[in-house]
Structure formats: structure tokens, C-alpha cells
Amino acid sequence: QAQLEETRASLQTVRTRAAKLPPADAVEQARLEVASRQKQVEAVDESCRERRSAWDRDLQDARTKRETLRDQYRDLKEQLDRITQAGPEGACPTCARPLGAEYNNVLGMLDRQIQEVLFNGNYFKARIDQLAAEPAELRDLERHRTEAERALAEAVGQLGRLLAQAQEGPALRAEQERLEARAS
């Protein structure tokens, strides 16, 4: 009688464990969930890379243009200084003839060019300052990618648990049959 009770208790334990096993389609659903999460991570990652690349490109473009404007400013300043030192009898920077009556016009033109370069330089300085901080959109994408990766890790973990439980199924059924035969 004691052996029969022990066998029935073991049988009940095996039946309880077998009842907790996932249905046959749960593993397939988990696989589909993992594939879906993987695609989501890849899509967010791609968006993140594209946005970061655009931000880096914009920042580098602004720095390059500002550096070009600095070089242009130095050249214009040198020309202005040379013409100012030489006076009206100095040579024109483009045609090398004495300026004479055109002296004031050339000075005005160089001054306007310098002011334009300074204005553009200030614009690109402000643009560089603006682009120095990581854009909020990029931070949001990074956060979204982290969340998607976490969800993928959870889905992979769930799939692993379901696969382990599914592998346990045949052994539990065999044990259940053995215990039922013994009890009968």
C-alpha cells in the first residue's frame, strides 16, 4: 500500500510537471517573437547609425567650412594689410598694376569680403556649437535601441526556457507511462 501511495504521488508530480509544459505551438510562437524582435533591433540600429552618420557629417561639414572661412579671412586680411601699407601707389593684388584712383574701391571691396567671411564664420561657429551636443532624436533612438535589445534578450531567454521544457516532455511522458503501469 505504501509503495502504491508513493507511486501515485510520483505520478501526480509527473502529471503536474507535464501539465506545465508549453503547448506544441508555444515554441514556434517564441521563435517568431525572437525573429520579430531581431528585425526590430536591426531596424532601430540602422536608423540610429544613419542618424549618427548624418549628425557626424553635418558637424564635420560645419567644421570644414569654418576652417575654409578662417583661411579665407587670413588671406583677405593679408591683402588688406599689404594694400593699406603700400597706399594708393601700391600694386593691385590681382593685376599687379598701381591702384591709384581705385585704391578706395579695392579697400571697400576687401572690407565687404572680410565682413561677409566674418558673418559666415560666426554662423558656422554657432552651427558647430549647436551640433556639439548629441541631438535629442539620436538619444531617443539610442534609448529605443536599448529597449529593443532588452526585449530581444527577454524573448531569447523565453525561447530557451520553452525549448528546455519541450525537451523535457518526452522524458516526462515516458516516466508517466512507467508510473501508470506500476500503479496499475
Side-chain angles (χ1 to χ4, degrees):
Q1 189 65 35
Q3 288 177 351
L4 180 59
E5 290 303 317
E6 181 183 329
T7 302
R8 286 183 179 159
S10 295
L11 182 59
Q12 186 58 41
T13 302
V14 168
R15 283 181 179 157
T16 302
R17 284 177 52 200
K20 290 181 181 178
L21 290 178
D25 65 336
V27 173
E28 189 55 35
Q29 286 177 345
R31 280 192 175 114
L32 292 174
E33 179 71 16
V34 166
S36 171
R37 296 289 183 179
Q38 183 65 39
K39 286 180 184 175
Q40 183 182 16
V41 166
E42 289 169 1
V44 171
D45 192 46
E46 180 65 24
S47 294
C48 197
R49 275 197 309 270
E50 288 174 1
R51 182 62 183 108
R52 180 170 296 285
S53 177
W55 173 53
D56 288 341
R57 205 173 32 252
D58 288 348
L59 183 59
Q60 187 57 44
D61 185 51
R63 286 178 177 158
T64 301
K65 287 181 179 177
R66 184 165 185 233
E67 195 56 42
T68 300
L69 288 169
R70 281 181 176 169
D71 293 342
Q72 190 177 0
Y73 175 80
R74 281 192 286 274
D75 291 344
L76 289 171
K77 187 72 171 142
E78 282 178 20
Q79 286 181 19
L80 183 64
D81 291 345
R82 265 192 319 223
I83 291 174
T84 303
Q85 286 177 353
E89 299 309 314
C92 173
T94 53
C95 66
R97 293 185 305 201
L99 289 171
E102 292 296 313
Y103 176 75
N104 288 329
N105 291 340
V106 171
L107 286 180
M109 179 188 71
L110 286 174
D111 190 48
R112 282 189 304 277
Q113 287 177 345
I114 287 173
Q115 293 305 315
E116 183 179 331
V117 166
L118 285 174
F119 178 78
N120 290 335
N122 287 334
Y123 167 78
F124 283 108
K125 179 184 182 302
R127 182 74 176 139
I128 289 168
D129 292 343
Q130 177 187 21
L131 292 171
E134 190 176 69
E137 178 187 0
L138 186 56
R139 285 192 305 271
D140 290 344
L141 282 171
E142 292 280 355
R143 186 176 32 77
H144 189 62
R145 180 176 62 186
T146 302
E147 291 169 2
E149 287 171 346
R150 181 191 47 75
L152 174 62
E154 288 175 6
V156 168
Q158 178 66 16
L159 176 61
R161 285 188 292 280
L162 290 173
L163 286 172
Q165 289 174 348
Q167 288 177 347
E168 187 182 15
L172 280 177
R173 281 188 286 281
E175 179 68 11
Q176 183 176 350
E177 289 173 10
R178 186 188 67 75
L179 289 172
E180 287 173 347
R182 184 159 186 233
S184 64

